[in-house]
Amino acid sequence: MMRKYSWLAGAMVLAFILITGCSNSTADEGTTEPGVNIPSGQEDSSGNGGGSTTEGTTEVPPASESDEKAMLTTADLYKKAEFTVDKYDEEHTMTREALEAKGEILKPFLTSKYFVAKMADRNIALPLQVANKESVTLHPEDMNFSVKENRGDSLLITYTLNLILTDKNGKETRNIPLEGDITFLQENNQWLIQDDTYNIKELQNLVYE
């Protein structure tokens, strides 16, 4: 009888060892795929202190001081292009051709995604609409730009400007203060505008009142 129980106890211990071994093997296989070696210090790509990585893409180098200066210049040129309207008649402001022409002027400054969004919501046409509604030309003055935050793989620029509305006699009819933030991202090795948020209602109220 004792031999029978001794054999049974031995079999149970052996089964326990086999089950435990299989469980550990399965857990190990779920942690690292066979044949994949993770270099030391690269187990986690988060919190790398600058730049970002996406599967299938190259890491974006952080924006340098020279990048910041270039983006400040780009932001200045962009707002001038956006808010300068030299003619306000129907032909130059309210046709599809006028909208598309304005879009082509601004397209080089914008990421492809943001360009599509601005054309879709027709905000590109807003300065043209203001010019037509008020029978004025537009141009920005007293423009100021500064770096608000360098996030490494993106840059936030804050700005202020005065949008001057001028009638056909060259007289200033309105001076609209505008302020906002421009976000730059890299696309095709270029720093381009991904977002521009400002007090747009100041202009929308002129058009839709």
Side-chain angles (χ1 to χ4, degrees):
M1 180 70 90
M2 291 296 294
R3 289 181 181 179
K4 181 179 178 181
Y5 285 122
S6 298
W7 176 86
L8 182 59
M12 291 177 65
V13 170
L14 180 59
F16 176 79
I17 292 173
L18 290 173
I19 292 171
T20 304
C22 290
S23 298
N24 291 338
S25 176
T26 303
D28 292 340
E29 289 175 4
T31 302
T32 306
E33 294 181 7
V36 176
N37 296 319
I38 302 177
S40 177
Q42 296 185 17
E43 291 85 354
D44 185 0
S45 62
S46 62
N48 56 15
S52 63
T53 55
T54 305
E55 186 176 352
T57 63
T58 308
E59 181 176 352
V60 177
S64 65
E65 185 175 344
S66 61
D67 289 330
E68 291 183 4
K69 292 179 180 179
M71 281 182 266
L72 288 170
T73 299
T74 299
D76 180 275
L77 293 173
Y78 170 69
K79 297 312 290 188
K80 285 178 180 175
E82 180 183 26
F83 285 134
T84 298
V85 182
D86 293 325
K87 298 178 180 179
Y88 55 81
D89 57 271
E90 291 279 341
E91 179 183 355
H92 292 92
T93 57
M94 301 305 291
T95 63
R96 179 178 178 180
E97 289 74 18
L99 172 61
E100 291 176 347
K102 192 70 170 179
E104 287 303 309
I105 291 172
L106 300 181
K107 187 176 183 179
F109 297 97
L110 311 177
T111 64
S112 54
K113 181 178 179 179
Y114 191 49
F115 173 72
V116 170
K118 283 187 72 68
M119 291 297 287
D121 64 22
R122 299 182 67 83
N123 281 339
I124 277 180
L126 188 57
L128 301 176
Q129 293 174 304
V130 171
N132 182 74
K133 179 75 180 294
E134 298 292 308
S135 298
V136 294
T137 58
L138 308 178
H139 64 280
E141 289 187 356
D142 305 319
M143 303 172 67
N144 291 290
F145 300 84
S146 60
V147 175
K148 187 174 184 178
E149 185 179 1
N150 186 338
R151 300 166 179 164
D153 60 351
S154 65
L155 192 82
L156 187 64
I157 287 177
T158 188
Y159 66 90
T160 59
L161 62 88
N162 291 321
L163 186 60
I164 308 301
L165 283 59
T166 307
D167 66 18
K168 63 181 180 180
N169 298 317
K171 180 182 178 181
E172 180 181 317
T173 62
R174 288 179 185 265
N175 181 333
I176 305 175
L178 298 177
E179 57 182 329
D181 294 323
I182 292 176
T183 301
F184 280 85
L185 294 178
Q186 271 210 42
E187 181 176 273
N188 298 325
N189 297 317
Q190 288 183 291
W191 288 101
L192 299 174
I193 295 170
Q194 172 61 23
D195 186 57
D196 178 20
T197 304
Y198 66 95
N199 48 324
I200 195 171
K201 287 190 178 297
E202 298 291 334
L203 303 184
Q204 291 175 332
N205 289 340
L206 288 179
V207 174
Y208 303 118
E209 279 181 345

